[in-house]
Structure formats: structure tokens, C-alpha cells
Amino acid sequence: MPSPRPVRKSRANGEGTVYQRKDGRWEAAGYVLTTNGTRKRTRVYGATRKETMGKLTERMAASNRGLPAPAADCTIEVYLQRWLDNIAVHQLRETTHTRYRTTDRLYITPILGKKKLGRLTTKDVRTLLDQLRTQCQCCTRGLDTQGLCCSTGACCGKRLSPLTVSYVHSVLKSALQHAVREDELPRNVARNVPAGTPRPKRTEPLTATEARQLLQAAEGHRLHALFELALHTGLRKGELLGLHWTDLDLETGTASIRRTLQRTSSRGLSTLPTKTTSSERRITLPAACIRSLQAHRRRQDQERAAAGDRWQESGYVFTTPTGRPIDPTNLTRAFTTLLNRSGLRRIRFHDLRHTAATLLLEQGVELVVIKELLGHAHIGVTAAVYAHVRPRLQQAAITTLSNALSADTAPSGTTATP
């Protein structure tokens, strides 16, 4: 009597299906909640049956908890909005997240927003970058509200900088990479499009003579110590404004950089962690800065007494006359006024940082020392930003070597070998 055929064990309704493909991989499919509120069949892949079912079970469990999966047939606009609101917001600094959102709103969604996520191609990404490089932003975004150029038929040719185009590419690439990690896309098509490496913007820092002229003009200014500290140490604007008196040890002449003060869209003026972990550092203060900080503390004590009940103790080194932290925008205004009073050319406050690094390089200070002082994450960043200084240093080195090898400078009693 033939043995009965084994009964195939069927999966329960809603558990999904799993099978092995002709190419040897395993594929599982099941229904999950999508971003538009409907349920859609989703597919996952793996090298083994167990791995594939694990992926499907995890995705369906998330769907049962009410977490929608970004379906590949949703639009780029919908996907980017969900990624920014639910994923990137927890991974980026608030200021960076705001910039990502602005980049999406101005450049990505207007061109690719209606495109289906699963149908995005390398050609689409290349077309996006080409349009941003070549199209006049004044015409495209309707910036000519006063009828001065594009609306009158005279295009002003206002195009995005290579650095901005590269940033748009980075934002899109980061968003698509998350979809790849979630198995919503088989590959990141943005990775196949070279955006190019834009050259860092050439800065024109102050010369040593101009830096001395600025410090002379700042004599007597209530923020003289801040400007002197910026030129001597290269601290960022937010790092200077975020300094507490407890961060300073004027006896040993050191300062601990632990935070930065910035204005954010959600919390207003607030302290944030330093830009990178390398930015949290301890630096040595020069004697001139120690003296100016001691004088600044005496001035602040006088302002505290004069303000009386209006004084708001914040612990910051640099404050308003009533003890409040200084808004970065107001510091920029004060710096611009100081430049005008000193008769110097117009530069950014951040160029004081470049001035400090450039002067240190020209004095022969090792690049690794400057990297630690500035708080760069990698020495390659320091080398790239200040690459324009190296030719002058190389010229001095070549001249020194040429003098050493010259027959005219050979020691007496020796003969130069041809």
C-alpha cells in the first residue's frame, strides 16, 4: 500500500509567501501599510530562506504597529518628506537638517518631486544636476520680483555654484541610501552620477599688517577680547559665543571648547554640541588673550553692577550689557561696523579663522598643530582648505634649498662637483 503523500504545510493567511528564485536567491512577499494609507504587496530578498523570512517578518511587524513603509511607487516628494521628518531629523544636527529641508524644497522636489521612487534612474539624477548647473535660478524660481532682468527678457544668468550643486547631490544620495538599506530600492542610482569635486572657495584672509590694524581699531571696544581671541586661536563664531567662564582657566592659560551657540528655527538662541567630536578640544591661550580676558571680566563686573536687577546671569564670557548671550547675527553687525571704522576691506567674520591659520602656516607652524587648534576632524581638511598657502611656503623652501646647494655658498676648502 503506497504511503500517503505528505501534506504540504500552508502558511496562515497574512503571513506572506516565500520561495526560491531561479537565480538561487530567496524571495518573500507580504502586505504592508504604505505612506498613503493603503496596503500594498512588498517583496524582500535574501541568500537563505531564514534570512528572507526574517526581513519580511520585521517589515510586516513594523506595519502592524502602524509604521508605514515607504513604498517604491510613492513619489520622490513624498519619500523625501517622510525621510526628513522621521529619519534624518534624528541623525543630523538641527542646523544641518534645516539646510537639507531647504535643499529639497528649492532644488530637488521642483524637478524630481513627481517622479516615482522606484522608477528613478541614473539619467534622472544626471538631468537634475545638469539643470541646476545650467539654468538661471532667477528665471526658474521666479526671483525677479522687481522686473529687472528675466521678466523683461534680459536673463541675468544667476546659476548655482558648483559647491551648491554638489550639496544637492549629497542630500539626494543620502536619502536614497536609506531606501536601499530598507530594501525599498535595489541600488542607489545617485551613486552612479559623478557630481564632481568643487574647489574650495578661495578666501582672502587678512595680512599680518591688516590683522594688527583691526586689533588697534578694536581697542576700547567692549568685545575687544573676543576679536583678539578669534585672531589668535581661530575659534569659530559659535564657539566664541558659547564660551562659559567655567571653560577658562586664566591661571594656567587654557580654554576648553565644549559647545557652540547658534540660533535654530525650533529653539531660538541655544547651545549645541560642537560641530564634530574633534571640535571639542582644549587649547592654550596666548598671553595677550589672557590679559584681554582679565580686562573683559572686570568690564563685565562693572556692567553687572550698572544693570542691577536687569542683569540676567548666564555664565557666558561674552554677553550683552545685561548679561544675555549674544546673537550671532548681532556679532556680525558689530564686526562689520568695526571693519568700516578701521578702514579695512569687507570680509566675513569666519575669515578671522582663516587669517589665524594662514598666519600660523606662514610662520612655519606644523600642519598637525594647526589641525588640533582649529578642531578639524582630519588633517586632510586642513590641508585642503589652506592649499593656496602652500605654494608660498614651497617657494621659500625651494629658495632655501637652492641657496644651500649653490656653489657660491659652498664651505671654504671644498669644491663643487659638476
Side-chain angles (χ1 to χ4, degrees), residues 109 153 177 256 270 364 398:
T109 290
Q177 190 59 32
S256 298
S270 58
I398 292 298

Side-chain angles (χ1 to χ4, degrees), residues 353-407:
R353 178 174 170 86
H354 294 313
T355 298
T358 301
L359 294 179
L360 286 171
L361 276 170
E362 292 179 341
Q363 295 301 314
V365 177
E366 293 285 345
L367 198 64
V368 66
V369 176
I370 299 175
K371 177 257 184 190
E372 295 295 335
L373 180 64
L374 298 183
H376 284 158
H378 306 286
I379 196 170
V381 176
T382 315
V385 173
Y386 300 103
H388 63 282
V389 184
R390 292 203 300 271
R392 295 202 297 270
L393 304 180
Q394 291 172 1
Q395 181 61 46
I398 292 298
T399 301
T400 301
L401 179 60
S402 296
N403 292 336
L405 298 178
S406 173

